[in-house]
């Protein structure tokens, strides 16, 4: 068991190394482009470019360049963004991360609970009006663009109905840290959570329903019913657990990607300065050190989320444990 | 043997196939599963060799080794005198045309989006067996051969029943005019009444086209019906091989005897049931018993059986049996 | 048989089942009647689409009520059970009537241990502690002949061989001492030597516990080996019935002849060709109005297009126009002369 865990950990580190090397090569070792000039940004003075070349060691061999880059990113954490007038990159990511994590974690709880509830209810009432209604709602959730839905929510809660009892508690846009103002943190995030989760509840509910309907064709469900078990027990003890595998797989991918910055639109609509926004700005300005940092951050969460998914597989399905 | 006796179509000597299971990145990890171990087998032109055994006996793996669908771990394999044990895919190309496989579930190998005409026509075109102009006629002939109406050429696989799909699978195998057909459980998924039709079809085709078959099945009655010779496998080894009628009438290996006796069948009134119930189950091929592989379940095993692995020995009537106690072994079993 | 007749346990009368499909209503079971007495083994023989499994599922009330229309009556121990609310049927299912499924690979939930799944059934019907149910599960596994029952109870289905899994399925079915076991192709997925072991086990259970067994199968060999009485189903109807001995000695229906002739013999001379039944069984959509077998029957007459008459003798019946006087010569065309045909 410990050996398997250690193996898995080593695998994760190896993957991270691979990603960092690949990103480094793409951005800093592309033939025909001077990385120092790129880091300096557009219209930079020749002296700045020369200083950067010295500083990053671009006149030295590639492995040394890579090592120095990683050292500045992870060890000394003083990698600087020249586009943004010498701002240090790592602290910016560290300050943006809690915003994104808060947003995505909260939404994830909502969409997992909501997705399971919708899927189970629809499967139990298959082909009835409840099932059809839920599936239409889910389809609406899937089809609503998040920026549009977010803006509508803002319009309702921030201006149109802000003075009614319904939305008077909603604070202005922006993020309030959990550590200093827990109540404010919660209030500012409730609407973003629902907005982001709406899409995923729709997708997850539909997928889970399809898997459950398929599971109900299985022999072991017939066995469970022939044992004289009630419908709830058949659902929760026999059908649901075996149907959760695709659900968990999707969750791992979506969660990793969202934490990594894919919640950009939600962040923008609700004025949350998260990693998505940071990455977006870095791309706009071609801010290479910042891009490197956010990509490493994102890949870290994708890798961790995938490891967690594997762990949940093991908990869900004994057949996976053999490996 | 006379001088005119042609060489065997298939000749396997010491054929082994080992799979490595549970392998990880660590070197030397994983365990060896000897699916087929040290098998000697001849398939003569025009005969039907039945390959029987229970799940885990290695009969399917052996079939796939004979057609070189699987690479062979060790041993010799000759097809029509040509060594193909280590042949690469280029060298195998002419052999591939002459040897065809038919599987249990034909629908898995029939592209659901293509008409029968295209499925069969493609095979003809790829192997350039007939000039393009003759392909249409040939397709009709093939349908006649397997007993399907020519109009069915324009249907899709899902429009057919299981038995008809298996006929299409057979037609596709016949399209390249092979010498040898290795059929792996070709009738197991069919209903009894349809199964009998397909069994008859196999017999008709052999007579009309002079085919040679290796017929793999777990159903001993079906194998008796179609085969001229039969090989019984247990845990990756052949335990008995010989003339079908002789083996079924008087099995000489204790496993063959138990296997045949276990088949439920109608009995005349008052006829006693002579069933030999084997204890336990087939041991894991990852950890086969020492000595004779059947010794852990054999009702007549002696100490020697548990220590020394028997090899196939010729018996007076021409069959071969891998048992230290043969041919007397099965007499004591009643 | 010399033993006095045991009481009727299950009585099925005029059972018809149809399904709503995209192409309209199709009939899967058409006016089926039979009964099972305590301690007897009744085989229902048929190919796929014959309606044998649908019949069974209707008895257990396991068909989807939204798409299934069931007609007729099913009486268990004198009490009508067809159409009972699910709540009441649940008290019978698994306790009085237990199911043994065909494929032990898929009949057990993959994510729970064998012991857990058996204990779950016991606890669904009896007030017993968790530990008590777990102990009973181990006892049951020993009962069905698993070598190391305590260890097996802690294993997941995929960790057991096919034969061990089927024993576990049987142990589960036995857990509440059911009066009736319904076994749906219980040995089809098993190797012959394991099949022999499982059939032996079923015979022993009948002897030790007096359970009645309805055995659904397509294998005439299995029927001959274990059944007391046989119902042959084709295209949704029981086309022939009788005691096993009589039915094999003197089959009446051309379909039964074809079924027997389709099985290659294991001894004696091999026929050059098997006397296979031509064509294929009808699907519910293509079911003929009269005799379901007529399109494949070489003896079919114009009047076979109407519902066939019932031929009867004590303990026997068949749904066919062929009367007693024509039977033997026609049968000989397919099966050859039968030794002691009456």
């Amino acid at each position: 068991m410990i050996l398997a865990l250690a193996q898995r950990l080593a695998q994760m580190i190896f993957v991270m190394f691979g990603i960092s090397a690949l990103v480094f090569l793409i951005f800093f070792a592309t033939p025909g482009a001077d990385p120092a000039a790129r880091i300096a940004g557009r219209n930079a003075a020749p002296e700045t470019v020369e200083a950067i070349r010295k500083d990053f060691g671009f006149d030295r061999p590639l492995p040394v360049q890579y090592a120095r880059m990683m050292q500045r990113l992870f060890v000394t954490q003083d990698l600087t963004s020249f586009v943004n007038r010498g701002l240090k990159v790592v602290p910016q990511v560290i300050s943006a991360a809690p915003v994104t994590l808060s947003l995505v974690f909260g939404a994830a709880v909502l969409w997992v609970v909501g997705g399971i509830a919708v899927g189970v209810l629809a499967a139990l009432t298959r082909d009835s009006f409840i099932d059809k209604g839920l599936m239409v709602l889910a389809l609406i959730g899937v089809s609503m663009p998040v920026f549009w839905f977010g803006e509508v929510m803002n319009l309702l809660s921030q201006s149109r109905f802000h003075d009614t009892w319904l939305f008077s508690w909603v604070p202005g846009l922006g993020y309030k840290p959990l550590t200093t103002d827990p109540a404010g943190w919660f209030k500012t995030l409730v609407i973003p959570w629902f907005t982001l989760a709406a899409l995923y509840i729709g997708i997850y509910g539909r997928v889970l329903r399809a898997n459950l309907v398929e599971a109900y064709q299985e022999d072991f469900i017939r066995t469970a019913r022939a044992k004289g078990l009630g419908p709830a027990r058949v659902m929760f003890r026999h059908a649901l657990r075996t149907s959760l595998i695709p659900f968990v797989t999707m969750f791992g991918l979506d969660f990793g990607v969202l934490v990594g910055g894919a919640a950009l639109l939600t962040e923008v609509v609700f004025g949350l300065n998260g990693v998505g926004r940071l990455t977006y700005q870095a791309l706009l300005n071609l801010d290479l050190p910042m891009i490197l940092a956010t990509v490493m951050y994102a890949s870290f969460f994708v890798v961790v989320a995938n490891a967690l998914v594997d762990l949940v597989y093991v908990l869900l399905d004994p057949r996976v444990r053999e490996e | 043997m006379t001088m005119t006796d042609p060489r065997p179509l298939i000749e396997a000597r010491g054929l082994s196939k080992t799979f490595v299971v549970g392998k990880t990145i660590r070197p030397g990890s994983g365990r060896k599963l000897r699916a087929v171990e040290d098998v000697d087998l001849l398939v003569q032109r025009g005969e039907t060799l039945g390959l029987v055994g229970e799940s885990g006996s290695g009969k399917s793996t052996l079939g796939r080794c004979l057609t070189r669908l699987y690479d062979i771990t060790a041993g010799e394999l000759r097809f029509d005198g040509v060594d193909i044990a280590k042949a690469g895919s280029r060298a195998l190309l002419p052999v591939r045309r002459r040897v065809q496989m038919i599987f249990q579930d034909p629908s898995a190998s029939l592209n659901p989006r293509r008409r029968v005409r295209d499925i069969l026509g493609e095979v003809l075109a790829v192997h350039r067996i007939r000039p393009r102009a003759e392909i249409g006629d040939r397709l009709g002939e093939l349908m006649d051969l397997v007993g399907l109406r020519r109009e069915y050429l324009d249907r899709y696989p899902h429009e057919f029943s299981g038995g008809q799909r298996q006929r299409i699978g057979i037609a596709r195998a016949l399209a390249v005019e092979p010498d040898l057909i290795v059929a792996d459980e070709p009738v197991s998924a069919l209903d009894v009444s349809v199964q009998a039709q397909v069994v008859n079809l196999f017999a008709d085709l052999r007579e009309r086209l002079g085919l040679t078959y290796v017929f793999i099945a777990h159903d001993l009655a079906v194998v008796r019906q179609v085969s001229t010779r039969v090989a019984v496998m247990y845990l990756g080894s052949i335990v008995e091989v010989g003339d079908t009628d002789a083996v079924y009438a008087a099995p000489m290996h204790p496993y063959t005897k138990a296997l045949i006796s276990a088949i439920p069948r109608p009995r005349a009134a008052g006829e006693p049931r002579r069933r030999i119930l084997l204890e336990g189950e087939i041991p894991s091929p990852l950890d086969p018993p020492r000595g004779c592989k059947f010794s852990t379940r054999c009702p007549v095993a002696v100490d020697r059986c548990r220590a020394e692995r028997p090899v196939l020995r010729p018996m007076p009537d021409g069959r071969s049996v891998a048992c230290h106690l043969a041919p007397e072994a099965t007499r004591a079993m009643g | 048989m010399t033993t006095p007749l045991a009481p009727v346990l299950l009585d099925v009368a005029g059972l018809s089942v149809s399904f709503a499909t995209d192409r309209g209503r199709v009939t899967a079971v058409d006016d089926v009647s039979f009964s099972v007495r305590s301690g007897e083994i009744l085989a229902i023989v048929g190919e796929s689409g014959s309606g044998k499994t649908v019949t069974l599922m209707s008895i257990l009330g396991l068909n989807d009520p939204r798409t299934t229309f069931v007609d007729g009556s099913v009486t268990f121990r004198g009490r009508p059970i067809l159409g009972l609310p699910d709540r009441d049927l649940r008290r019978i299912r698994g306790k009085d009537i237990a199911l043994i499924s065909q494929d032990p690979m898929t009949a057990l939930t993959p994510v729970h241990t064998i012991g857990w799944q058996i204990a779950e059934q016991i606890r669904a019907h009896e007030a017993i502690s968790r530990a008590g149910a777990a102990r009973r599960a181990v006892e049951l596994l020993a009962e069905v002949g698993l070598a190391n029952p305590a260890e097996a109870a802690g294993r997941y289905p995929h960790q057991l061989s096919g034969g061990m899994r089927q024993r576990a399925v049987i142990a589960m079915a036995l857990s509440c001492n059911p009066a009736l076991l319904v076994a749906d192709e219980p040995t089809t997925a098993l190797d012959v030597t394991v099949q022999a072991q499982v059939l032996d086990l079923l015979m022993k259970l009948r002897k030790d516990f007096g359970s009645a067994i309805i055995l659904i199968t397509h294998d005439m060999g299995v029927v001959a080996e274990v059944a007391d009485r046989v119902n042959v189903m084709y295209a949704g109807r029981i086309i022939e019935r009788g005691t096993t001995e009589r039915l094999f000695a003197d089959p009446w229906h051309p379909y039964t002849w074809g079924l027997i002739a389709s099985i290659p013999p294991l001894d004696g001379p091999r026929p050059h060709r098997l006397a296979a039944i031509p064509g294929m069984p009808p699907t519910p959509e293509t079911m003929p109005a009269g005799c379901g077998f007529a399109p494949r029957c070489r003896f079919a007459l114009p009047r076979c297009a109407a519902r066939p008459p019932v031929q009867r003798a004590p303990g026997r019946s068949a749904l066919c126009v062929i009367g007693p006087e024509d039977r033997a010569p026609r049968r000989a065309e397919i099966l050859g002369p039968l030794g002691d045909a009456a």
Side-chain angles (χ1 to χ4, degrees):
Chain A
M1 189 66 194
I2 290 167
L3 186 77
L5 278 179
Q7 234 172 1
R8 182 69 222 210
L9 208 65
Q11 224 177 343
M12 285 166 64
I13 291 170
F14 182 75
V15 170
M16 293 286 296
F17 165 75
I19 293 172
S20 68
L22 203 66
V23 171
F24 171 80
L25 287 174
I26 289 170
F27 285 133
F28 297 103
T30 326
D34 180 6
R38 281 180 162 200
I39 289 177
R42 300 185 187 98
N43 311 321
E47 310 84 77
T48 322
V49 176
E50 201 46 48
I52 291 171
R53 183 164 297 132
K54 264 263 134 51
D55 193 24
F56 282 86
F58 284 133
D59 42 3
R60 318 259 314 264
L62 269 181
V64 177
Q65 292 177 30
Y66 172 77
R68 192 174 283 194
M69 189 70 79
M70 289 301 123
Q71 186 199 16
R72 300 192 64 175
L73 188 58
F74 292 112
V75 184
T76 56
Q77 304 191 347
D78 62 348
L79 191 64
T80 346
S81 154
F82 285 83
V83 182
N84 271 327
R85 296 171 306 277
L87 269 181
K88 288 219 169 64
V89 161
V90 178
Q92 286 203 66
V93 174
I94 287 175
S95 77
V99 182
T100 300
L101 285 173
S102 300
L103 173 66
V104 177
F105 260 109
V109 170
L110 278 180
W111 96 58
V112 166
V113 173
I116 290 179
V118 167
V120 164
L121 193 58
L124 279 178
T125 60
R126 184 152 68 94
D127 297 334
S128 73
F129 287 109
I130 299 177
D131 173 31
K132 284 178 183 145
L134 278 173
M135 285 306 104
V136 169
L137 275 180
L139 195 62
I140 292 173
V142 174
S143 342
M144 272 189 311
V146 73
F147 55 86
W148 177 82
F149 185 44
E151 287 298 2
V152 169
M153 290 305 288
N154 274 340
L155 184 73
L156 295 180
S157 65
Q158 298 288 343
S159 63
R160 186 65 66 82
F161 296 106
H162 188 66
D163 297 330
T164 66
W165 58 271
L166 196 58
F167 288 122
S168 58
W169 53 270
V170 179
L173 296 180
Y175 175 74
K176 297 200 169 61
L178 174 64
T179 42
T180 56
D181 182 5
W185 174 82
F186 186 80
K187 283 181 188 168
T188 46
L189 283 168
V190 168
I191 289 178
W193 283 341
F194 273 100
T195 307
L196 184 56
L199 162 73
Y200 292 95
I201 291 177
I203 299 176
Y204 281 60
R206 288 179 75 92
V207 167
L208 183 61
R209 176 191 178 274
N211 283 308
L212 282 171
V213 167
E214 203 175 300
Y216 269 81
Q217 311 294 321
E218 298 272 359
D219 269 3
F220 62 79
I221 296 297
R222 191 175 88 164
T223 308
R225 294 180 65 210
K227 281 159 84 171
L229 306 179
R233 199 172 173 94
V234 171
M235 168 59 81
F236 289 106
R237 290 307 180 103
H238 293 271
L240 183 59
R241 215 168 121 183
T242 49
S243 304
L244 275 178
I245 293 274
F247 190 96
V248 170
T249 311
M250 276 175 27
F251 182 81
L253 291 172
D254 287 337
F255 185 80
V257 169
L258 281 177
V259 171
L264 166 71
L265 290 175
T266 316
E267 289 177 12
V268 172
V269 169
F270 292 104
L272 301 167
N273 286 312
V275 178
R277 222 173 165 172
L278 197 63
T279 313
Y280 175 66
Q281 279 157 0
L283 284 168
L284 272 186
N285 301 329
L286 213 72
D287 184 351
L288 287 190
M290 183 61 90
I291 293 173
L292 184 67
T294 51
V295 167
M296 288 312 297
Y297 158 91
S299 56
F300 172 76
F301 277 101
V302 171
V303 169
V304 167
N306 273 304
L308 287 178
V309 164
D310 288 353
L311 190 71
V312 177
Y313 281 166
V314 168
L315 294 177
L316 279 179
D317 193 337
R319 284 168 294 188
V320 183
R321 276 169 229 171
E322 311 295 270
E323 258 310 291
Chain B
M1 283 200 192
T2 62
M3 291 299 288
T4 54
D5 209 359
R7 59 189 173 209
L9 201 55
I10 287 230
E11 185 178 5
R13 298 255 171 248
L15 187 84
S16 295
K17 174 68 187 173
T18 305
F19 294 103
V20 179
V21 294
K23 191 174 166 66
T24 60
I25 318 166
R26 263 174 301 138
S29 67
R31 300 166 70 193
K32 284 186 175 161
L33 189 154
R34 294 189 166 84
V36 171
E37 202 173 356
D38 202 13
V39 161
D40 292 346
L41 192 67
L42 295 181
V43 182
Q44 302 291 351
R45 230 171 271 273
E47 77 169 346
T48 298
L49 176 79
L51 211 51
V52 295
E54 298 181 279
S55 43
S57 64
K59 57 187 190 301
S60 280
T61 308
L62 178 57
R64 280 155 206 234
C65 287
L66 293 180
T67 56
R68 278 298 316 276
L69 224 55
Y70 284 163
D71 283 334
I72 294 162
T73 311
E76 295 169 34
L77 178 64
R78 259 181 282 280
F79 177 77
D80 204 7
V82 181
D83 181 7
I84 58 165
K86 296 272 178 279
S89 47
R90 187 175 296 266
L92 276 175
L93 211 57
V95 179
R96 290 249 185 271
R97 188 191 67 73
R98 298 179 60 194
V99 181
Q100 288 290 304
M101 264 200 101
I102 294 174
F103 297 99
Q104 172 173 354
D105 180 11
S107 40
S109 60
L110 299 175
N111 185 341
R113 286 176 222 290
R114 307 193 64 190
R115 292 169 203 274
V116 174
R117 177 183 300 285
D118 303 322
I119 292 172
L120 298 179
E122 181 183 43
V123 181
L124 290 173
V126 165
H127 287 272
R128 294 201 191 88
I129 301 200
R130 296 287 168 99
R132 196 161 287 276
E134 287 176 27
I135 284 185
D137 292 343
R138 176 62 179 158
L139 291 178
E141 272 171 46
L142 282 169
M143 294 300 267
D144 294 346
L145 262 180
V146 297
L148 289 175
R149 294 174 26 198
R150 291 188 179 207
E151 300 95 274
Y152 289 179
L153 277 171
D154 290 310
R155 295 199 179 175
Y156 291 95
H158 70 86
E159 295 176 74
F160 294 97
S161 68
Q164 290 173 324
R165 270 198 292 266
Q166 191 56 286
R167 286 173 192 269
I168 296 167
I170 294 171
R172 186 173 55 180
L174 294 177
V176 298
E177 297 165 31
D179 300 317
L180 173 72
I181 287 185
V182 177
D184 191 359
E185 301 275 9
V187 299
S188 315
L190 306 176
D191 269 322
V192 188
S193 68
V194 179
Q195 178 175 310
Q197 299 168 7
V198 178
V199 165
N200 285 340
L201 175 64
F202 270 96
D204 295 345
L205 291 173
R206 182 180 60 197
E207 280 172 23
R208 288 170 65 179
L209 305 174
L211 291 167
T212 306
Y213 293 129
V214 173
F215 195 97
I216 305 166
H218 70 278
D219 186 326
L220 283 99
V222 167
V223 168
R224 180 175 185 265
Q225 177 67 23
V226 297
S227 58
T228 46
R229 251 174 5 113
V230 64
V232 183
M233 289 189 75
Y234 185 81
L235 262 184
S237 301
I238 291 178
V239 296
E240 178 160 3
V241 53
D243 175 70
T244 301
D245 287 323
V247 169
Y248 275 77
M252 283 187 188
H253 195 285
Y255 176 65
T256 316
K257 175 119 182 169
L259 196 61
I260 293 174
S261 81
I263 307 165
R265 67 186 98 174
R267 278 169 288 122
E271 184 191 338
R273 187 150 97 239
R274 287 207 207 92
R275 201 161 63 184
I276 300 153
L277 260 197
L278 289 178
E279 299 282 313
E281 314 211 5
I282 297 189
S284 163
L286 284 168
D287 187 19
R290 281 183 62 232
C292 173
K293 288 175 180 171
F294 187 57
S295 60
T296 52
R297 302 170 75 196
C298 181
V300 295
V302 295
D303 285 344
R304 186 182 169 202
C305 303
R306 285 178 271 272
E308 189 188 327
R309 183 153 305 171
V311 292
L312 277 177
R313 285 186 294 130
M315 295 290 130
D317 69 350
R319 78 177 93 172
S320 297
V321 181
C323 175
H324 295 306
L325 307 175
E328 276 74 36
T330 51
R331 257 174 230 161
M333 292 168 74
Chain C
M1 281 205 210
T2 49
T3 44
L5 286 180
V8 169
L9 192 61
L10 179 86
D11 187 64
V12 176
L15 181 75
S16 293
V17 186
S18 56
F19 297 107
T21 70
D22 302 339
R23 279 163 289 178
R25 220 162 122 165
V26 297
T27 302
V29 173
D30 186 6
D31 194 15
V32 159
S33 306
F34 62 89
S35 58
V36 187
R37 293 175 186 277
S38 291
E40 88 173 331
I41 299 184
L42 170 73
I44 300 183
V45 187
E47 299 180 270
S48 50
S50 62
K52 55 193 200 303
T53 299
V54 176
T55 304
L56 212 80
M57 291 303 111
S58 306
I59 294 169
L60 285 164
L62 287 179
N63 284 319
D64 187 342
R66 281 163 303 183
T67 53
T68 317
F69 305 93
V70 186
D71 210 18
S73 80
V74 177
T75 316
F76 181 71
R77 282 184 171 144
R79 176 184 177 209
I81 58 168
L82 198 65
L84 277 186
D86 197 59
R87 183 179 300 277
D88 297 329
L89 272 177
R90 286 210 296 272
R91 290 202 201 106
I92 299 170
R93 285 204 291 257
K95 184 168 187 297
D96 300 309
I97 307 178
L99 172 74
I100 300 173
S101 278
Q102 165 173 10
D103 188 352
M105 297 286 271
T106 56
L108 292 162
T109 304
V111 297
H112 298 297
T113 63
I114 303 291
W116 189 96
Q117 297 191 48
I118 298 174
E120 182 189 38
Q121 176 159 1
I122 300 171
R123 282 168 59 81
H125 297 287
E126 291 172 31
I128 184 173
S129 71
R130 210 170 278 272
R135 261 198 309 280
R136 275 266 296 284
V138 175
E139 287 165 22
L140 283 159
L141 288 171
E143 189 82 51
V144 296
L146 276 180
N148 204 337
E151 197 211 323
R155 296 199 160 237
Y156 291 95
H158 71 277
Q159 295 170 320
L160 302 177
S161 71
M164 287 160 86
R165 265 194 293 250
Q166 192 58 293
R167 283 168 195 271
V169 168
I170 294 174
M172 191 156 78
L174 290 177
S175 59
C176 298
N177 291 323
L180 176 64
L181 280 170
V182 282
D184 187 3
E185 303 263 11
T187 60
T188 304
L190 304 176
D191 280 318
V192 270
T193 59
V194 184
Q195 168 177 296
Q197 293 170 347
V198 169
L199 288 179
D200 249 42
L201 175 64
L202 286 178
M203 302 281 275
K204 178 173 168 291
L205 294 175
R206 186 261 292 266
K207 209 168 113 228
D208 294 357
F209 298 99
S211 316
I213 300 175
I214 299 180
L215 179 76
I216 300 237
T217 180
H218 68 273
D219 187 333
M220 284 301 232
V222 170
V223 172
E225 193 97 342
V226 300
D228 300 314
R229 287 193 301 124
V230 191
N231 289 350
V232 183
M233 277 190 86
Y234 188 82
R237 294 187 193 138
I238 295 177
I239 50 101
E240 177 160 13
R241 70 177 90 216
T243 61
T244 308
E245 218 170 294
R246 298 301 306 149
L247 190 124
F248 276 95
D250 176 24
W252 285 4
H253 197 285
Y255 175 66
T256 315
W257 304 341
L259 209 52
I260 293 172
S262 293
I263 310 165
L266 271 164
D267 36 35
R270 286 186 262 165
H272 184 63
R273 290 174 62 89
L274 294 170
I277 307 173
M280 62 197 106
T283 60
E285 288 89 359
T286 61
M287 200 78 82
C291 173
F293 187 61
R296 302 175 76 187
C297 182
R298 64 199 278 187
F299 309 113
L301 301 167
R303 62 193 161 111
C304 293
R307 212 182 165 90
V310 186
Q311 307 285 338
R312 286 180 203 281
R316 292 295 304 274
S317 71
L319 222 53
C320 185
V321 296
I322 300 175
E325 60 286 349
D326 299 330
R327 212 171 275 144
R330 299 206 167 148
R331 181 170 62 207
E333 284 181 40
I334 292 176
L335 283 177
L338 282 183
D340 55 345

